[in-house]
Amino acid sequence: MGAKILEGKPIAQKIKEEVKAEVEKLKAEGVTPCLAAVQVGEDPASKSYIRSQRRSCKEVGIEYKLFTLPENTSKEELKEFIEKLNNDPSITGIILQMPLPKHIDAREAFCWIDEKKDVEGVTPANLGLIAFDMPRLAPPTALAAIRMIEETGEEVLGRETVVVGRSTIVGKPAALLLLQRKFSATVTVCHTGTSKRGKLEEHVRNAEILIAAAGQPHLIKGEWVKEGAIVVDVGMNYVEGKFVGDVEFETAKERASYITPVPGGVGPVTTAILLRNVVEAVKWQREG
Ligand code: NDP
């Protein structure tokens, strides 16, 4: 029997409706959530991402402002600009658009964002709060991966959970979130070191819950997937004109109990959760 396909769109729609209602409530109280996107230089690849951010914000009533700084903006100038946004009460969320020009280190730049406006959960403060079991603004992609697991209704407690990837925006926060007492999964994190030692297959075969976030097309073979496993594929790899995941979907779906498609799985939910984070950020700022 094939797996149930966890489609992202209906979940995203539900989240957006909740966000829309919260935005209306905030507006009635005189607060308009406003997301500021900062772009340094004009990378053509980020155009469609920006367009989709603007459209999604509009859908739920969030204001969206794009600030495009010249390619030759210095580190100091960008820092100053972000600090201006941090201190501007009309801006309630900040996204620093990737990629940045080579002379600016993204990790350093993330540190300049006020954690209460950090809707992408990229600051060390917000990652630290997850590790502290007190998440406030976690990265939307990690939250989306977990939301997909929650949608199955299956118990996570003590389940062998394998996260492939340890980036600070997906793998690591997803693993830390699943370690929270409210989930209490048994978490293993795999990375290139695991693969170099030839151990990836062994770990994946053991996974009752699998989150694939390596950014490597079809890295995970369908035959490695444990019978009845929940498979969340975060990977978005552009291959021969289309997007494919990190997991071999066709073969994996014959073994898994639930599986997310690529595209149309984690992606739309990530966008919806970003919007939810904009509202969560407003709430945090209002706490003072
Ligand atoms: P990164 O490149 O930052 O991280 C990839 C991680 O995967 C690293 O930790 C890396 O290990 C690990 N990895 C890479 N190759 C292997 C391998 N052969 N075996 C084991 N581990 C491996 O990517 P991101 O975390 O930013 O993104 C991951 C994927 O998720 C990408 O495909 C991206 O496009 C997608 N994505 C999807 C989103 C969505 O909304 N659906 C949003 C954000 C990202 P090491 O640390 O050792 O290098």
Side-chain angles (χ1 to χ4, degrees):
M1 215 182 79
K4 286 198 185 123
I5 313 295
L6 290 163
E7 297 287 351
K9 271 208 180 131
I11 304 167
Q13 199 49 43
K14 196 162 154 242
I15 298 170
K16 281 187 192 166
E17 274 156 26
E18 289 162 6
V19 172
K20 197 171 173 197
E22 292 218 50
V23 170
E24 274 163 20
K25 220 170 99 195
L26 286 170
K27 283 186 175 168
E29 292 167 18
V31 182
T32 302
C34 177
L35 178 58
V38 182
Q39 187 186 30
V40 187
E42 284 191 60
D43 179 62
S46 44
K47 260 202 182 134
S48 72
Y49 189 45
I50 287 169
R51 227 186 358 251
S52 115
Q53 278 173 4
R54 191 189 294 281
R55 190 173 354 114
S56 320
C57 282
K58 197 167 173 210
E59 243 181 277
V60 297
I62 293 173
E63 228 179 88
Y64 183 83
K65 286 187 182 162
L66 173 67
F67 298 94
T68 305
L69 307 182
E71 179 85 23
N72 63 358
T73 301
S74 71
K75 211 170 93 170
E76 292 70 27
E77 284 166 336
L78 177 61
K79 184 167 187 237
E80 214 173 287
F81 191 82
I82 291 176
E83 277 164 2
K84 213 171 75 191
L85 297 178
N86 285 342
N87 295 324
D88 181 345
S90 74
I91 301 292
T92 60
I94 301 171
I95 290 183
L96 185 56
Q97 219 71 49
M98 293 295 116
L100 290 174
K102 286 202 169 55
H103 62 278
I104 303 174
D105 177 53
R107 276 177 190 247
E108 193 182 348
F110 287 151
C111 300
W112 303 329
I113 302 172
D114 179 346
E115 67 263 26
K116 293 188 179 181
K117 297 191 178 183
D118 171 26
V119 292
E120 288 198 304
V122 294
T123 58
N126 276 314
L127 188 61
L129 283 169
I130 305 174
F132 214 61
D133 231 347
M134 288 172 65
R136 290 300 306 236
L137 290 170
T141 315
L143 288 172
I146 287 161
R147 176 63 184 258
M148 301 314 260
I149 298 168
E150 287 180 304
E151 283 292 321
T152 67
E154 298 288 326
E155 192 170 35
V156 176
L157 181 118
R159 283 277 168 86
E160 292 293 341
T161 303
V162 171
V163 180
V164 185
R166 59 174 164 184
S167 73
T168 50
I169 59 152
V170 194
K172 207 173 286 170
L176 287 171
L177 286 163
L178 286 165
L179 279 177
Q180 290 174 98
R181 287 191 184 277
K182 79 183 239 213
F183 295 114
S184 285
T186 305
V187 184
T188 302
V189 182
C190 298
H191 41 80
T192 52
T194 320
S195 285
K196 281 179 191 151
R197 198 157 281 281
K199 292 277 190 182
L200 185 63
E201 176 179 349
E202 185 183 319
H203 286 292
V204 171
R205 282 193 184 274
N206 208 24
E208 297 176 277
I209 299 171
L210 174 69
I211 297 181
Q216 299 295 322
H218 296 165
L219 171 69
I220 299 182
K221 307 298 163 216
E223 68 189 53
W224 299 357
V225 170
K226 194 181 177 76
E227 286 286 345
I230 297 169
V231 178
V232 178
D233 192 350
V234 180
M236 283 283 274
N237 311 293
Y238 198 62
V239 181
E240 290 169 5
K242 59 177 184 151
F243 282 105
V244 299
D246 288 351
V247 180
E248 276 183 353
F249 182 80
E250 290 305 325
T251 35
K253 85 174 191 319
E254 295 308 315
R255 300 173 64 87
S257 56
Y258 295 88
I259 189 165
T260 63
V262 177
V266 177
V269 181
T270 299
T271 310
I273 291 182
L274 170 72
L275 301 173
R276 195 178 71 195
N277 271 1
V278 177
V279 169
E280 290 303 315
V282 174
K283 290 186 193 163
W284 196 6
Q285 287 154 44
R286 290 178 103 197
E287 282 172 24

